[in-house]
Amino acid sequence: MAPKGQHKYSVLLPTYNERENLPIITWMLVKAFKDNELDFEIIIIDDASPDGTLEIAKQLQAAFGADRIVLRPRAGKLGLGTAYIHGIEHATGDYVFIMDADMSHHPKFIPDFIKKQKEGNFDVVTGTRYALGGGVHGWDLRRKLTSRVANFLADTLLTPGVSDLTGSFRLYKKPVLEAMIRATKSKGYVFQMEMMVRARQMNFTIGEVPITFVDRVFGESKLGAAEIVGYLKGLITLAMDI
Amino acid sequence: MGKRAQSILLVFAAGTAAWVLLMLHSVLIPFVPVPQYLDEIAPVLPLWLLVAFGAYSLASIGYALVTFGDCPEAYMSLLKEINEAKTDLKRRGVQID
Ligand SMILES: Nc1nc2c(ncn2[C@@H]2O[C@H](COP(=O)(O)OP(=O)(O)O)[C@@H](O)[C@H]2O)c(=O)[nH]1
Ligand SMILES: [Mg+2]
């Protein structure tokens, strides 16, 4: 494979109990990058998943090569925010994709992100489920309502000018991501929102591309009462801070 | 407290002050003529604002909910790809259970 252009894309893939999803998302990522003749690496940050995700990751590394699949495991479940920091420390690309490993984010949109980024030389390109051409599959009314209320509150309190604040499928220029992570204090769901708010404050430019989101086919999503309370607390803390 | 919280507080304080001034204009600023209809709406103004904001919130959440985009075709094609991926991964020696 002869990579076109001089850019390299690092994908940060945090995993916790994604034994079933990780091989398939990795396969789809490799396919998307190879089909589009792009240089890439996939950095898997596994937090000692009890289901043995790391073992599968090692098999993937053997199958696709250590230059393509980079393993950055950690000894315990330390959370998503620090997982990104840990992953980016070893990223060799000049651009970084952040996405979930549960196949809710489909690698087929990667060329759209890259095209958008080039169009406006954007610092950040964020995937939106709430624009024409986007959508969500597999959510019941309660889950949809939760998402809409969460977005409405965040929109009203933070006015970030991004249509899908809680989404987390994004492309960043690497130094921009580093600066944004350093400025971000929240954890959990608010982390992704704060990243966008800080991006605006730091005058980074943000582009949006529509994406479809298919709720996880394998495994359980973790949205419960505790996450909702955590979200509201985090949102208020953030609104007071900006 | 950040800049945003400060400006929200400022707007809120200014609004409250303006409302108090309106309510007590005959005492505080007797020399300024105030039309009578303002006297009539002044007492219900804060409640009206609250209700208006609530209605706006409900309407925009409701509209967003009704127009929530579904993407069944994305789900169907994902299922197909999962099978394709599994076959190829097994061939490459990755354990699939
Ligand atoms: N490394 C690491 N990954 C995590 C952790 N928590 C969640 N993840 C991963 O982060 C992504 C999003 O998590 P998910 O449970 O799907 O969140 P949801 O989609 O918001 O319900 C998935 O790839 C998870 O495997 C964690 O503590 N550490
Ligand atoms: Mg998920």
Side-chain angles (χ1 to χ4, degrees), chain A residues 67-86:
Chain A
D67 55 331
R68 295 302 185 198
I69 313 292
V70 181
L71 307 184
R72 293 291 163 213
R74 297 192 296 177
K77 191 174 189 324
L78 300 169
L80 270 180
T82 57
Y84 297 133
I85 299 171
H86 184 74

Side-chain angles (χ1 to χ4, degrees), chain A residues 18 100-105 189 213-216 220-222:
Chain A
E18 303 288 5
D100 292 352
D102 61 0
M103 296 195 284
S104 299
H105 299 147
Y189 282 95
F213 179 102
V214 176
D215 200 23
R216 49 165 78 239
E220 283 286 309
S221 184
K222 58 179 191 312

Side-chain angles (χ1 to χ4, degrees), chain A residues 145 148-149 152-153, chain B residues 56-66:
Chain A
L145 182 64
R148 284 313 206 183
V149 173
F152 176 79
L153 288 175
Chain B
Y56 162 75
S57 305
L58 281 183
S60 61
I61 290 170
Y63 177 76
L65 202 58
V66 171

Side-chain angles (χ1 to χ4, degrees), chain A residues 32-84:
Chain A
F33 281 116
K34 292 215 161 150
D35 285 355
N36 291 284
E37 293 177 35
L38 298 160
D39 195 9
F40 72 101
E41 67 183 353
I42 300 166
I43 302 177
I44 299 169
I45 307 119
D46 185 64
D47 277 1
S49 301
D51 76 345
T53 304
L54 184 58
E55 202 182 312
I56 300 291
K58 284 178 183 155
Q59 294 177 13
L60 288 164
Q61 193 179 42
F64 294 107
D67 55 331
R68 295 302 185 198
I69 313 292
V70 181
L71 307 184
R72 293 291 163 213
R74 297 192 296 177
K77 191 174 189 324
L78 300 169
L80 270 180
T82 57
Y84 297 133

